[in-house]
Amino acid sequence: ELGLLYCYKHGASVNQALRTLGCADESLHGFLRRSKGFQVDNSHVALVRQSTALKPFSVADEVESILKSSDMRSMEIKELCAKFTAKFNVNLTSLAGMKAADFLIKEKERFVVTGRRLVSLRAAAPVPPPPGLGVPLGGLTVAPPPGLTPPRAAPTTPPGPAQKLAATTNQQYLDLHAAMCDRDFLGEMQQRVGDVVEFVRGATFLNVERVVRGGSLGKGTAFRGAADAELVLFLPGLPATQQEKWLQPLLRSVAGVLSSRIGEGLVDAVDVAQDSVRLAVNGGLPVDLRFSSVIGSLGKAT
């Protein structure tokens, strides 16, 4: 199979290639067996791996790799955190065990933090000019030697309205991405929704076949300050038609049962909406309970 693939790719047989290398009397099997880069087992061949040991994950190494990929080898800490989260799907803060700025300051041998907003590689950090060129030195300004004129800084052009708008928009996107990728917050909210499901199962008289999650938590679009959940409870035995007759009595019955359990610490309030039971869960999480019949087939639904 390897010989056929070689011929298909290069338009010449393996034997012709071996003759070109001066190995006219050698077969492909023999060539592979004596080559250190291959491992031959009967009629199968594989590459020899140099090292199969897994390297430990280093947050500092990965941060350094992200900075090296940028043009200036420096970026704002918020942008760095957003790139780290996008690459590994986990917050830099959660892996480092401290705030990102504190972690970068701690790794002072690798990184230079300016004003707790900008981080750069120490190798790429700007080197101060030598004394004697009219620059501050220990709080004093040293005058240049006679006959030597200090270099003038190139005039900088202030950013125009379009550049300012683009920078603001990019920062808003980065802030939104960082907020939506807060795995600690999303994990906590998902756990709370699971507690609500168990609470409803244990407190009510309902025979729940399955539960489907919706809302921003179910869709994965929730972030701090904008999170909600919707739970659709499928109940066997409910009629698939004439919902207007049984829905409101069912909602009032479920709300009445759950209201009697408010003092248990999970749910703060229970209200009956037009087509759901709305729960106010601790921490400001609204959860809507909706109910549906279990439809076995399209024929039963019609």
Side-chain angles (χ1 to χ4, degrees):
E1 183 182 4
L2 178 62
L4 292 176
L5 289 174
Y6 182 92
C7 182
Y8 175 78
K9 182 177 181 180
H10 300 285
S13 67
V14 176
N15 292 332
Q16 291 174 334
L18 290 175
R19 282 196 297 269
T20 304
L21 295 175
C23 305
D25 298 331
E26 190 172 18
S27 65
L28 174 61
H29 188 278
F31 173 78
L32 295 174
R33 184 174 291 278
R34 70 176 178 83
S35 300
K36 296 181 179 180
F38 303 100
Q39 180 180 357
V40 179
D41 183 12
N42 294 329
S43 60
H44 293 79
V45 60
L47 288 173
V48 175
R49 297 181 180 271
Q50 297 296 330
S51 175
T52 58
L54 295 178
K55 297 182 179 179
F57 184 84
S58 172
V59 178
D61 290 344
E62 299 302 334
V63 170
E64 183 175 353
S65 174
I66 294 174
L67 288 175
K68 286 181 177 179
S69 65
S70 64
D71 295 335
M72 301 299 295
R73 296 200 169 188
S74 64
M75 62 181 64
E76 290 192 358
I77 294 179
K78 282 188 176 181
E79 182 183 0
L80 173 66
C81 292
K83 288 182 177 293
F84 189 94
T85 302
K87 183 176 181 180
F88 299 103
N89 202 26
V90 64
N91 283 339
L92 189 154
T93 300
S94 61
L95 288 181
M98 62 184 72
K99 292 183 178 179
D102 295 336
F103 171 75
L104 295 171
I105 293 174
K106 179 183 176 183
E107 297 287 337
K108 57 185 179 181
E109 296 182 356
R110 294 189 179 193
F111 312 112
V112 176
V113 178
T114 306
R116 299 184 68 87
R117 293 187 58 186
L118 186 70
V119 59
S120 58
L121 291 174
R122 179 161 293 279
V127 179
L133 295 182
V135 297
L137 179 63
L140 300 176
T141 300
V142 180
L148 181 61
T149 304
R152 295 183 179 181
T156 58
T157 304
Q163 288 82 358
K164 291 181 178 179
L165 178 60
T168 303
T169 303
N170 291 339
Q171 187 59 48
Q172 290 175 347
Y173 280 123
L174 291 173
D175 293 342
L176 178 61
H177 182 273
M180 294 182 66
C181 293
D182 190 343
R183 295 178 64 88
D184 295 337
F185 169 74
L186 294 177
E188 179 184 352
M189 290 298 101
Q190 292 291 358
Q191 179 62 43
R192 195 162 295 181
V193 172
D195 294 340
V196 171
V197 173
E198 296 303 319
F199 171 73
V200 173
R201 287 180 182 271
T204 63
F205 50 86
L206 302 175
N207 178 21
V208 182
E209 181 175 292
R210 69 179 186 276
V211 179
V212 176
R213 299 187 182 189
S216 60
L217 282 172
K219 299 174 183 177
T221 58
F223 55 92
R224 291 186 186 274
D228 68 300
E230 180 179 300
L231 299 176
V232 181
L233 284 70
F234 288 86
L235 310 178
L238 280 182
T241 58
Q242 298 181 342
Q243 189 182 49
E244 67 279 358
K245 291 185 178 181
W246 54 261
L247 181 58
Q248 281 298 321
L250 176 61
L251 296 179
R252 289 193 295 268
S253 300
V254 173
V257 174
L258 296 180
S259 298
S260 63
R261 305 283 295 273
I262 286 181
E264 297 184 3
L266 179 63
V267 177
D268 294 332
V270 179
D271 296 314
V272 177
Q274 182 177 359
D275 58 352
S276 66
V277 175
R278 182 160 298 169
L279 307 180
V281 182
N282 284 346
L285 175 65
V287 178
D288 283 318
L289 301 179
R290 304 184 188 277
F291 304 94
S292 175
S293 59
V294 178
I295 301 175
S297 64
L298 183 61
K300 292 182 179 180
T302 56

